[in-house]
Each structure stands twice: as C-alpha cells, then as structure tokens.
Amino acid sequence: MNYAARLDQALNRLHEEGRYRTFIDIARVRGNFPHALWRKPDGTEQPITVWCGNDYLGMGQHPEVLAAMHEAIDATGAGSGGTRNISGTTIWHKALETELADLHGKEAALLFTSAYIANDATLSTLPRLFPGLIIYSDELNHASMIEGVRRNGGAKRIFRHNDVDHLRELLAADEPGAPRLIAFESVYSMDGDFGPIEAICDLADEFGALTYIDEVHAVGMYGARGAGICERDRLMHRIDIINGTLAKAYGVMGGYIAASAKMCDAVRSYAPGFIFSTSLAPALAAGAAASVAFLKTARGAELREKHQTQAKILKTRLKGLGLPLIDHGSHIVPVIVGDPVHTKKLSDMLLERYGIYVQPINFPTVPRGTERLRFTPSPVHGPDEMDRLVQAMDALWSHCALNRSELAG
C-alpha cells in the first residue's frame, strides 16, 4: 500500500473541486479588534479587518475579561492539572458553571472543553441513561450533534429542516411510551434562520419527549441577559437541555450544557467525553465567567442592540447592490456565490486587494451550489470598515461578472 499516494489523491480531489482550505497567519492585536495583522509567507505584514470571526461582540478583547484571566493565571498558573475527575476541578470551573446555570434559569450546568464536545458527549450518552431512547434530529443540525446521535447506538429519526409537520409524522409513527428526545438549534449558522422552538416544544409535550437545543450562535447575543433565543421568546423553561458555547459571543473558549441537576450529574458520571478530557485552563474559565456576567448587564444589552443594528445595516447595503443575500432576520450575513472556485477567488481578492478577511464556506459545511462568503459584523466594525467592505464587494462582484439577484430570505 502506497499511503503517501493515497493522501495525494485525497488532497488532489479537494484541489480539483476548488474546496481545498488554506489558513493565513493572523496576529490579533489586543484592544484593536476587528483589526489584525496578516503575516504573509514572504515575512511582510499587512493590516487587515476580520469579517468572519465568531467573536461576535468583541468580548475576546474586553478589559474585564482580560483582567479576570490575568488574575486567575497569576493565582493558579497555566493548566488545570487534569480531568475534572482527577484534579482538574477548580473554584474557577465551579464559579463558571454557577454563572451558566443562572444564565439559563436551570439547576445546574456542566462545562466541557468545547460546544462540539458538549454536543457529542451528551447526545451519545443519553441512550445509556434512557434505554430505548429515540432521537429526532433536524437534518441541518451541526456536525457535532449529528456525530453524537450517530455514535449513540440508539434509534434516530431525521426530520426535514424546521418541518414541524414531518416531525409530528415521525413522532406519531413510533411506539407510544418510548423515551424520546428532539434535538434542534435556535439559530442555524449558515443561513441564519431560526428553529421553530415553541412548536417543537408543543410536540414534545404532546408526545412526552425531552427537548435538546443548541444555542451556540445565540448565547450572549439574544435575550434580556444574553441567554439566547429561548430567553428572548420566554421558552427556556420548556427546554430540558441547553447547549452553548463560550468561544463565540463570549469571546473565550469552552462549551457547556445547562439542565436539571440530575441530568448534569448523570452526563458528568457517564459521558466519556467529559470523564476523560482535561478540563479548561482556570484562566479560560475565569475569563468566560467574567464575559457571561458582563453580558447579563445593561451594558451587555447595549452591545447586543448595536450588534443587531450593524447586521441590519450591512444586509441593507448589500441588498441595495443586488447581491444574493439570505436574510432570515438574524445576525448572520451569508452572501451566496454558488461556486467553490469563485468563492475562493473572491476571498483571496478581498484579502489581497482590500485587506478584508473572510473565509470561503464550501461543501460539506454547506450544500454544493450554495458556496458563500459569510460575514459577521460586530459592534466594533465602524462606518469606515463597513464602507470599505461594501465598496469592495460591489467592485469584485462586477469584476467576476457574478449575478446580482437577491435570494428570498
């Protein structure tokens, strides 16, 4: 077996399809987000503006977050020292879990190293806790949810995206009394559409199912205290397990679930993804706790309002140019290019000619034919940055002779 040749074949397929992903070297500058430095292969540096980061509110640069992290690292050192079960549980981890439980109005929260791990570990463990469990999963759920459902060894049903009628059909077709769980998201990050939370909760009540929601792209950004769409729509009490991240709007790292004390205790006790993973560094837990606490306040609400305003402005201006933009009313700004080669070319030209950094998004993250540039405006993208982006997109869209036809949102 020529293993090197097989690797060449696999990588060449991506190159031929225009889907090979490249990463550039970026040096973020403290206190200057969304500006950064691009360190080119020739060793020179070029200032750029980041338009594709998930640090939606710029909290990764917030003075209160940085101060909390400095305090923790000065007090404890770098790493956590082990898994939570051995030596990796500290006062910082417990304080963060308390902050998260309070955020979501739940009895408890359980911290993981990422929201991906939280989804995978929890969803793959639940059938061990509820033998015979059937999981009903939205077809566009995140890869981490798909992986968790796939690995759990239990029964699964995939319902068409946001199709409550199809979900009802699947629920009704299964044996009454069987344990069930419905897994879905509040904001789907590629198109920016919302899950029908209340309607799904109604079905869960009718069929005796647990509810599991991924609020990764909503926590920090929606709701009176930043708890997400469920808080905004006053539905948190109807959700059994909430998954969230600390690496997007909160600007740090980590993931979690929030649920009843018994649910968190059971997942903690049975999930290999929790049991065998070294815990977050205390400094990360401290910074995340400070970020969550800040975004619960009135100052956090002001950031959320400005964030939504920025997204609306960018969408309006791009629509005014006739660019094919999907708009479901969320903060996500996806501009559809529809071809992987053109998407990569646009991304490269934006970076090299205009200092605008936005990564191309291709299959398998999105379906073939819907390749896109996904912009994430933040409260700290000012008018000058916005003008430069809009002007660059206008010029390059014409340069590449791409269609200007607005998509239905």
Side-chain angles (χ1 to χ4, degrees):
M1 171 67 73
N2 188 334
Y3 293 102
R6 291 296 178 91
L7 293 175
D8 286 337
Q9 291 172 9
L11 292 171
N12 286 337
R13 284 197 299 271
L14 296 179
H15 282 288
E16 291 167 1
E17 296 174 16
R19 294 196 295 116
Y20 181 77
R21 300 171 189 257
T22 58
F23 306 130
I24 67 173
D25 294 338
I26 291 179
R28 286 165 63 105
V29 182
R30 187 179 69 182
N32 201 31
F33 180 80
H35 302 288
L37 291 175
W38 170 30
R39 292 180 177 169
K40 299 182 179 180
D42 63 6
T44 61
E45 293 184 342
Q46 176 181 331
I48 62 171
T49 302
V50 178
W51 275 98
C52 57
N54 285 334
D55 185 358
Y56 290 120
L57 304 178
M59 291 302 293
Q61 303 289 322
H62 196 280
E64 293 188 23
V65 174
L66 299 184
M69 296 183 73
H70 280 295
E71 179 184 351
I73 201 168
D74 289 342
T76 68
S80 65
T83 67
R84 293 287 296 276
N85 288 348
I86 297 176
S87 62
T89 295
T90 70
I91 59 172
W92 309 101
H93 297 90
K94 299 299 290 185
L96 175 54
E97 288 175 338
T98 299
E99 198 74 63
L100 292 168
D102 171 76
L103 174 69
H104 291 290
K106 299 298 183 186
E107 292 178 341
L110 188 63
L111 184 62
F112 293 81
T113 51
S114 72
Y116 188 108
I117 298 298
N119 271 332
D120 185 9
T122 303
L123 288 169
S124 63
T125 297
L126 288 174
R128 298 178 64 187
L129 306 176
F130 307 103
L133 180 70
I134 304 170
I135 296 183
Y136 304 80
S137 179
D138 188 289
E139 66 177 343
L140 293 189
N141 278 341
H142 189 264
S144 58
M145 301 174 75
I146 294 171
E147 183 65 14
V149 172
R150 184 187 67 82
R151 288 199 311 108
N152 67 31
K156 65 178 183 290
R157 313 282 186 260
I158 309 302
F159 62 93
R160 292 186 291 270
H161 179 53
N162 281 350
D163 190 334
V164 178
D165 291 335
H166 186 219
L167 174 58
R168 169 182 281 281
E169 291 176 13
L170 295 175
L171 287 163
D174 284 315
E175 181 182 352
R180 310 156 190 258
L181 178 139
I182 305 171
F184 62 110
E185 299 184 35
S186 62
V187 178
Y188 290 85
S189 64
M190 289 300 108
D191 285 351
D193 54 332
F194 298 96
I197 302 173
E198 185 171 18
I200 287 177
C201 288
D202 289 343
L203 282 180
D205 289 345
E206 181 179 347
F207 288 92
L210 295 169
T211 48
Y212 184 107
I213 193 166
D214 181 310
E215 287 254 42
V216 159
H217 287 275
V219 290
M221 295 176 290
Y222 296 88
R225 300 197 307 157
I229 300 299
C230 290
E231 181 187 35
R232 185 196 70 177
D233 295 348
R234 299 181 179 181
L235 295 169
M236 281 198 298
H237 64 288
R238 302 188 65 184
I239 301 293
D240 294 294
I241 306 173
I242 297 173
N243 169 276
T245 185
L246 302 164
K248 293 182 169 58
Y250 292 119
V252 190
M253 181 181 175
Y256 63 90
I257 61 168
S260 69
K262 286 183 179 180
M263 182 70 76
C264 289
D265 192 22
V267 173
R268 177 190 68 84
S269 301
Y270 280 87
F274 177 87
I275 295 169
F276 297 106
S277 291
T278 296
S279 65
L280 285 176
L284 293 172
S291 185
V292 173
F294 177 88
L295 289 178
K296 289 178 180 178
T297 68
R299 291 179 296 167
E302 291 172 4
L303 270 182
R304 283 189 286 279
E305 183 176 354
K306 188 174 181 182
H307 179 234
Q308 292 294 319
T309 299
Q310 291 289 82
K312 290 175 183 176
I313 291 172
L314 181 57
K315 287 179 181 180
T316 299
R317 296 189 63 180
L318 293 177
K319 285 179 182 178
L321 299 176
L323 301 191
L325 170 72
I326 297 176
D327 183 5
H328 289 287
S330 72
H331 61 283
I332 306 293
V333 186
V335 178
I336 305 300
V337 182
D339 175 87
V341 175
H342 287 158
T343 307
K344 180 66 167 63
K345 184 177 181 181
L346 277 171
S347 172
D348 289 344
M349 289 191 294
L350 283 168
L351 180 66
E352 294 163 3
R353 299 185 185 182
Y354 298 93
I356 291 169
Y357 178 49
V358 56
Q359 278 281 49
I361 297 180
N362 299 321
F363 179 84
T365 306
V366 295
R368 297 180 192 275
T370 70
E371 293 83 3
R372 66 197 63 187
L373 299 174
R374 176 182 174 273
F375 298 98
T376 54
S378 77
V380 290
H381 283 93
D384 290 343
E385 289 88 353
M386 187 85 72
D387 287 344
R388 187 169 180 80
L389 172 62
V390 172
Q391 291 163 10
M393 287 293 287
D394 189 19
L396 292 179
W397 214 260
S398 296
H399 176 80
C400 296
L402 297 173
N403 290 332
R404 295 181 185 252
S405 56
E406 184 177 327
L407 293 180

